[in-house]
Amino acid sequence: MSLTLWCPLAMEARAARRGIRGEAKVVCTGMGPDRSRRVEPENGAVAVVGMGGAVVDGIEPGDVVVATEVSADDVVSIGLPQAEAVAKGLSDAGFTVHTGPVASVSKLAVGPRRQELAYKGAVAVDMESAWLLENHRGPAAVVRVVTDTPTRELRTAAAPARIYRALRTIRRLTPVLTREVG
């Protein structure tokens, strides 16, 4: 089965393309709910791959979050049964991996909004996954590399270095995804 990687940002898509092995394609979907809802559903397996933010303590910049489910205020929770297998494959490949629910939001979640999402059960946040997957019916995974945390938000001088590190991690993890999802 062929895998399609949905990467919201062009820089995430470039990083994923550099790491591709085998029969997989990369689609730059665009950022946010509006662009995500315009993406045509795929018939095969998909993995949403990109950067995200942690909303709970214990997850550090550079760590990988594999979503067990995704949701948004206007999207019912979507379960991702392949999460444990994907997380194990990434962990076995040497990545620091966390699993749990990922909340999709329409704008960056900072300060109290992160706390609210954590209270609702999320471990991480992104701006696309729930909307990308709401009409997808095949195998799917959501893999986010953490760039910011509740105590280390993106509005610091360290943000560019964390983004660069996340892009390197995306490049390194895509071969694992082609084995585990595709």
Side-chain angles (χ1 to χ4, degrees):
M1 178 187 318
S2 179
L3 173 66
T4 298
L5 300 176
W6 282 339
C7 299
L9 301 178
M11 65 178 129
E12 295 164 335
R14 278 191 300 276
R17 281 187 192 100
R18 289 185 184 122
I20 286 294
R21 304 285 187 271
E23 292 184 34
K25 71 178 181 177
V26 177
V27 175
C28 182
T29 62
M31 185 173 89
D34 293 337
R35 288 187 176 109
S36 296
R37 283 191 159 129
R38 284 184 250 171
V39 174
E40 289 293 321
E42 293 284 331
N43 290 325
V46 300
V48 179
V49 180
M51 295 178 278
V55 298
V56 296
D57 293 328
I59 301 176
E60 299 297 323
D63 289 359
V64 176
V65 172
V66 177
T68 55
E69 62 184 85
V70 293
S71 63
D73 288 339
D74 60 346
V75 177
V76 173
S77 180
I78 301 164
L80 300 165
Q82 289 188 271
E84 293 304 321
V86 171
K88 182 177 181 337
L90 289 168
S91 181
D92 289 350
F95 296 94
T96 301
V97 180
H98 307 270
T99 59
V102 170
S104 295
V105 296
S106 58
K107 60 184 180 178
L108 287 178
V110 295
R113 180 68 169 134
R114 282 184 198 262
Q115 294 169 340
E116 176 188 328
L117 295 168
Y119 181 75
K120 291 180 178 180
V123 299
V125 63
D126 70 22
M127 296 176 66
E128 300 85 15
S129 296
W131 298 291
L132 283 167
L133 295 178
E134 71 181 322
N135 293 314
H136 181 71
R137 298 293 172 245
V142 171
V143 178
R144 294 295 185 157
V145 180
V146 174
T147 56
D148 54 306
T149 69
T151 58
R152 296 180 187 160
E153 292 193 344
L154 278 177
R155 297 184 226 181
T156 67
R162 285 190 253 141
I163 290 169
Y164 178 75
R165 180 180 177 190
L167 295 172
R168 278 194 350 242
T169 301
I170 289 169
R171 179 184 48 80
R172 289 180 30 242
L173 64 74
T174 53
V176 178
L177 290 179
T178 59
R179 287 192 309 269
E180 297 299 329
V181 182

